[in-house]
Amino acid sequence: MARVVEVRWTWQYEFTALATHGLDRHGDLTYALYMFIETLGGPKDVIYIGIVKSQYRDLFMRMNEHRKAWLNSVAKGQIFVKFGVIYTSEVADGQLLEDVESALVFGRQPRENTAKKQSYRLYEDVIVRNVNHEGFLKASYNTSKQRLTGS
């Protein structure tokens, strides 16, 4: 039986203005889900889906790591970030966060993700239901169906 998880996505924040929105002060966000969206004058596109699951770095630190490591060099347009909050009837832990990220990356195939696009490992099957995804993701992803169909 698959575990049902709801991801409620925030509004899009302009990447360069994260501190303006107070996201630099959330040191307690050490377990988080996010996606980068790029616009080049046309439709916006998801270029990366990621997680933070470490007690040693928070969400804002991870955003800065991306900026320094690769984001400024690959982004050709304006970058936005949406954050996902996970809701489930059971305990949400780092393994669940990893499983949710795997389902989203495999299902969406963002161009800058390098892992989890061809295959991934799961602790348990999940059905990920996306709320407020604004069309950037499918309404749901089911890992047991992904394994059967490859998409």
Side-chain angles (χ1 to χ4, degrees), residues 7-8 20 26 30 37 46 67 75 100 105 113 121 145 151:
V7 179
R8 296 181 192 166
T20 306
H26 291 285
T30 54
I37 301 160
V46 175
R67 181 182 52 75
V100 168
V105 169
N113 281 90
R121 289 180 181 234
K145 288 183 181 177
S151 61

Side-chain angles (χ1 to χ4, degrees), residues 20-44:
T20 306
H21 297 289
L23 294 170
D24 58 334
R25 293 187 301 273
H26 291 285
D28 58 335
L29 294 178
T30 54
Y31 291 88
L33 177 66
Y34 58 92
M35 68 173 129
F36 288 133
I37 301 160
E38 181 179 40
T39 181
L40 288 170
K44 294 178 181 176

Side-chain angles (χ1 to χ4, degrees), residues 67-135:
R67 181 182 52 75
K68 291 175 185 173
W70 62 271
L71 192 57
N72 287 341
S73 63
V74 302
K76 295 170 181 51
Q78 189 174 15
I79 300 295
F80 297 87
V81 185
K82 285 178 75 74
F83 302 100
V85 179
I86 293 179
Y87 292 87
T88 180
S89 61
E90 300 172 42
V91 174
D93 57 11
Q95 185 59 58
L96 177 63
L97 189 62
E98 188 84 35
D99 290 348
V100 168
E101 179 198 34
S102 297
L104 295 175
V105 169
F106 186 82
R108 185 58 174 80
Q109 297 286 308
R111 75 171 194 247
E112 297 301 330
N113 281 90
T114 56
K116 303 178 182 181
K117 289 172 73 169
Q118 303 301 316
S119 65
Y120 57 89
R121 289 180 181 234
L122 286 174
Y123 177 73
E124 65 181 318
D125 276 317
V126 292
I127 298 171
V128 180
R129 295 187 178 144
N130 293 294
V131 177
N132 300 326
H133 57 88
E134 299 180 70

